[in-house]
Amino acid sequence: MAESHVNEHLPSAAAQADARAPHGREYRPDIDGLRALAVLSVIGFHLEIPGFHAGFAGVDVFFVISGYLISGIIVRSLERRTFSIAEFYTRRINRIFPALVTVLVATAIVGWTVLFGSEFRTLGKHVTSGAGFVANFVFLKEVGYFDLPAKPLLHLWSLAVEEQFYLTWPLLAWLAFKQRWNVGWTLVTLIGLSFVANVWSVRHGLTSEAFYIPLTRFWEILAGAALSYLERDGRKHALPFAWIPGFREFGSIAG
């Protein structure tokens, strides 16, 4: 489940560039530490290590981290009037596709040698949907995440959700700046709509839909975007508690 995010968020040169903090620091070791904890929690869950029964939440942590880092990059570019949709998507392609193509090709080669014909045809469909970032919709039609043993490329559902978010959020952010909307209230509205959709789906028994569908997951990535916005523009009057001595250390440990 976490492999795609592990590859995407490794601290490569591109990742370090993306991890620039809103105040100009080049590298965020605290975020790398949080990534490590998230990955370990997912691994512990899949290995059924005692105490890790909720370790799958590590993927949710990655969603928040992604929203925090990439939204910061988008906002800085918009403020400097240097934002380019083409450049943004070029960066995403250069960042993701080398690792993604490696995983897809290796999985297809192994599948050719060990799978039966019908299984390999299914794998081919998963390879195609993974490359097109629609794997979450394909898996939603096939099986709930916890219903059967994991399929080789099942983890690509989360990468698909993330990329579907980045098909819309840069455009919305650009529109918000162009129309001079209040970015804070825009984020609050979008987070609220997504979270309500998530809760409604769960309450009505649509748990697989709540798990896979972008609308019910976007609030997590947007929460990271909101953190980035508050850190940049909220300053002390928006987050006064964050400047209490020792609070941030306590908050990180509690989290």
Side-chain angles (χ1 to χ4, degrees), residues 42-254:
V42 174
I43 293 174
F45 166 76
H46 281 297
L47 294 179
E48 299 182 352
I49 297 175
F52 285 85
H53 61 280
F56 53 83
V59 175
D60 304 283
V61 175
F62 271 107
F63 281 152
V64 178
I65 291 174
S66 177
Y68 172 80
L69 293 176
I70 298 180
S71 293
I73 294 170
I74 293 172
V75 170
R76 282 196 301 276
S77 299
L78 287 169
E79 289 177 342
R80 297 168 183 166
R81 301 184 182 278
T82 60
F83 180 71
S84 165
I85 292 289
E87 180 183 355
F88 175 82
Y89 289 125
T90 299
R91 285 170 59 89
R92 295 300 293 171
I93 291 171
N94 292 337
R95 174 84 176 276
I96 292 169
F97 266 88
L100 178 61
V101 170
T102 301
V103 170
L104 295 178
V105 171
T107 304
I109 291 173
V110 174
W112 174 264
T113 61
V114 302
L115 296 178
F116 293 109
S118 59
E119 295 172 329
F120 188 71
R121 284 192 293 272
T122 300
L123 178 62
K125 180 172 64 174
H126 295 166
V127 168
T128 303
S129 63
F133 301 116
V134 292
N136 53 328
F137 292 112
V138 171
F139 289 123
L140 173 61
K141 294 180 180 180
E142 294 182 355
V143 62
Y145 189 85
F146 299 103
D147 292 345
L148 290 173
K151 299 181 180 182
L153 296 174
L154 185 59
H155 59 282
L156 293 183
W157 74 268
S158 54
L159 182 62
V161 168
E162 201 170 296
E163 295 314 306
Q164 288 157 19
F165 175 81
Y166 290 119
L167 286 176
T168 55
W169 174 237
L171 297 174
L172 284 174
W174 173 80
L175 184 63
F177 268 79
K178 184 177 178 62
Q179 300 297 325
R180 302 195 178 193
W181 296 343
N182 184 294
V183 178
W185 283 112
T186 301
L187 285 167
V188 168
T189 301
L190 294 174
I191 290 171
L193 291 173
S194 177
F195 186 74
V196 167
N198 184 292
V199 173
W200 185 91
S201 299
V202 173
R203 284 181 61 86
H204 288 78
L206 303 174
T207 52
S208 292
E209 286 77 4
F211 190 95
Y212 284 117
I213 289 192
L215 177 61
T216 55
R217 285 287 188 168
F218 279 178
W219 69 271
E220 297 174 301
I221 309 177
L222 287 166
L227 287 174
S228 177
Y229 168 74
L230 289 174
E231 186 178 36
R232 287 183 60 80
D233 300 322
R235 299 184 178 88
K236 294 186 178 181
H237 70 272
L239 293 173
F241 53 85
W243 276 262
I244 298 174
F247 177 84
R248 283 174 287 183
E249 288 75 10
F250 169 78
S252 63
I253 294 172

